[in-house]
Amino acid sequence: MSEDRVTHRRDGSVLWVELSHPGRRNALTWRMYDELQRLSTAANDDPDLRVVVVRGAGGSFAAGTDIGQFADFRDGDDGIAYERRIGAVIDALLAVRVPVVGVVEGPAIGGGLAIAASCDVLVATEDARFGVPIARTLGNVITPATVHRLRDRLGAGRTTAMLLTATLLSAADAAAAGFVHAVVTTDELEEKVADVVGRIAAGAPLTLAALKELDRRVGGAAGLDPAEDLLARVYGSADFREGVTAFGERRSPQWRNR
């Protein structure tokens, strides 16, 4: 059995979803993205479901997309196809009709941050870190929909600074921005998650579903230019290939602006 997987269990009216990729800080593979999308879609067919909880195994949430997924990229079209694929996963998670609680320990980076930002309520430990440091690491780019979601949840100025400086936000900073609902110690985590999940599960289902739909309508990214010309330019660049190679070789990339 492959080590990269997304497991799930049902406990009463709560669906617990766990991202797991041991030794890789739960870096996300195609298999994991596909299973998360499948579970998100299936959740809407379960009339007894009240809450979905998404968390990572082993003290990490998700440290982005597994870099091995980029090894076979040859041109900008591969980058566009990748972003469309990940966009479909995020759309499925955003479309879950019941509240989604994210439990973040350690890194929520890149694709992991996109998943965390798609949760309705976040509980984080003090060691949680949030960011998309691609300007320092891979030299790729994110979509307008992802930027829109981050700006909506973190604020425009904080999002822009985080992206341009390739820095990670602490749990405290994320809470100050309103992105994280509660920051707790590791010892307090399970009790706090149980409290948050219990409060939501006890709420009126139609009210909660309506509140989620209102949030989608008010903050939705529908109609945004997909900016696939920018995706093609960046993912098709020599700098992106250098970023992937350098990451695998554990060295700093040498950017050449081409």
Side-chain angles (χ1 to χ4, degrees), residues 26 28 31 41 48 72-73 93 106 115 122 129 131-132 145 150 159 165 167 173-174 182 198 226-227 230 252 256:
N26 304 330
L28 296 147
R31 182 199 310 272
T41 301
D48 298 320
D72 296 329
F73 279 29
L93 185 56
I115 291 171
L122 289 179
R129 295 294 181 268
V132 189
L150 292 176
T159 296
T165 62
T167 53
D173 287 340
L230 300 180
S252 297
R256 303 192 183 282

Side-chain angles (χ1 to χ4, degrees), residues 124-130 158 169-180 182-183:
T125 51
E126 294 170 327
D127 69 339
R129 295 294 181 268
F130 305 86
R158 195 182 302 261
L169 296 180
S170 67
D173 287 340
F179 184 66
V180 169
V183 179

